[in-house]
Amino acid sequence: MKDLWSDLLACLELRPADADMEFAGANQRLDHHRLFGGQLLAQFVRAASLACPDKAVKSVHALFARAGRPDEPVRYEVTCHHQGSTFATLGIIARQSPGVMATAAVSMHAPEDGPDHQTPFHVPAVPGEEHSVELGLLPWDTRAVTDLDTPEPEAPEYELWMRTPAAEPELAPALTAYATDLSLIGTALRQVEGVGQHDANKVFTSAVTAHTVRFHRPFRTDSWLLLRQHSPLVAQGRCYGRGDVLTEEGSLVASYAQEALLRFKDSGS
């Protein structure tokens, strides 16, 4: 797990490329035939932060055009559409030699003072170590009281607690964006009898097509966070899910939504 954590942190250290407002990012060293979308989300966030260092990422909306190749670094081309005193709007293209892999629209915002009101959220106590779960791509402590994969149909809801090793606060948005990409398809599959994420490429084919994350407040990932997810729809060869990120004290720090291809092999598609 430590090596995977170090590997992920290295991927977040984007380096300047040849042209202005362009950056290059290394890929995770995973035994996968394509790049994990969470890596691209995290690197989109980091590219925006480097291109506009006086503001924080407020939202990122990514569209995934094609699978990325793990054997080639990703080039991030940033265009600043608007730069004001408090807001900025960026467009980012993630590219490899075959062409564009993904694009992102990013909104930036300089911190401001103002009223702070929030609908109360009921947040349960952090589960004990006996509820630790292994989710593979998350190289940190994760816990859940329900199974992501269920043989019988269950409510398409999932609550995942997570806490990273010590990390700088400026990495929190990128690390959280990375985590939000992992289990929404599995959450959608909880309502489908006899099928779970482990059946990928056997019973169904899946791929994320669009993912949005909005950041509401500053936070840290080395304190406990709750990813509370719900997937209301599986239809037309796609699934849709959304979630909130809450602190242990119930503060809403981020929200996210995802649409993905979910094509069952017996559907005749």
Side-chain angles (χ1 to χ4, degrees):
M1 181 176 288
K2 182 179 180 180
D3 288 342
L4 187 58
W5 170 246
S6 300
D7 187 46
L8 175 56
L9 291 181
C11 291
L12 299 183
E13 295 179 2
L14 304 187
R15 62 183 186 277
D18 298 333
D20 187 38
M21 298 280 279
E22 291 189 4
F23 307 93
N27 299 322
Q28 292 177 281
R29 293 173 294 178
L30 305 173
D31 188 22
H32 292 180
H33 67 282
R34 64 184 182 185
L35 296 183
F36 173 47
Q39 175 199 306
L40 299 180
L41 285 169
Q43 289 178 330
F44 274 135
V45 171
R46 293 301 297 153
S49 298
L50 292 171
C52 194
D54 62 326
K55 297 176 178 64
V57 175
K58 179 173 71 73
S59 66
V60 53
H61 176 65
L63 297 175
F64 297 94
R66 64 170 59 140
R69 295 165 38 173
D71 60 347
E72 180 182 346
V74 182
R75 190 181 190 93
Y76 292 89
E77 303 167 0
V78 183
T79 300
C80 183
H81 300 302
H82 167 74
Q83 174 78 272
S85 58
T86 54
F87 287 93
T89 304
L90 310 178
I92 308 178
I93 295 174
R95 189 189 301 273
Q96 289 182 322
S97 55
V100 175
M101 296 186 319
T103 63
V106 182
S107 178
M108 313 286 290
H109 183 217
E112 296 186 46
D113 293 328
D116 191 331
H117 301 282
Q118 176 194 305
T119 299
F121 287 86
H122 170 68
V123 177
V126 179
E129 290 187 12
E130 68 274 15
H131 293 288
S132 295
V133 295
E134 175 57 54
L135 294 181
L137 290 173
L138 298 188
W140 49 69
D141 197 352
T142 50
R143 302 179 187 180
V145 297
T146 58
D147 292 332
L148 189 59
D149 291 318
T150 59
E152 300 297 326
E154 300 281 354
E157 300 170 352
Y158 187 61
E159 294 192 349
L160 178 70
W161 286 94
M162 75 173 212
R163 182 177 60 181
T164 71
E168 295 299 324
E170 59 264 27
L171 294 181
L175 292 170
T176 302
Y178 175 90
T180 64
D181 190 53
L182 186 60
S183 56
L184 273 170
I185 295 175
T187 301
L189 289 169
R190 279 176 52 83
Q191 60 193 304
V192 181
E193 185 174 4
V195 180
Q197 279 200 142
H198 60 279
D199 294 309
N201 301 317
K202 294 180 289 185
V203 176
F204 66 88
T205 300
S206 65
V208 175
T209 56
H211 195 102
T212 299
V213 189
R214 300 182 185 279
F215 300 100
H216 309 306
R217 294 184 172 108
F219 64 101
R220 302 185 66 98
T221 57
D222 48 15
S223 297
W224 284 108
L225 295 173
L226 173 63
L227 277 62
R228 177 172 282 166
Q229 301 183 163
H230 172 62
S231 178
L233 183 68
V234 174
Q236 299 292 304
R238 304 189 303 273
C239 62
Y240 171 73
R242 56 196 178 214
D244 291 320
V245 182
L246 301 158
T247 67
E248 191 174 356
E249 295 74 30
S251 178
L252 178 65
V253 296
S255 302
Y256 53 103
Q258 180 186 93
E259 183 185 64
L261 166 74
L262 185 58
R263 182 178 295 149
F264 289 84
K265 296 194 174 183
D266 62 355
S267 65
S269 300

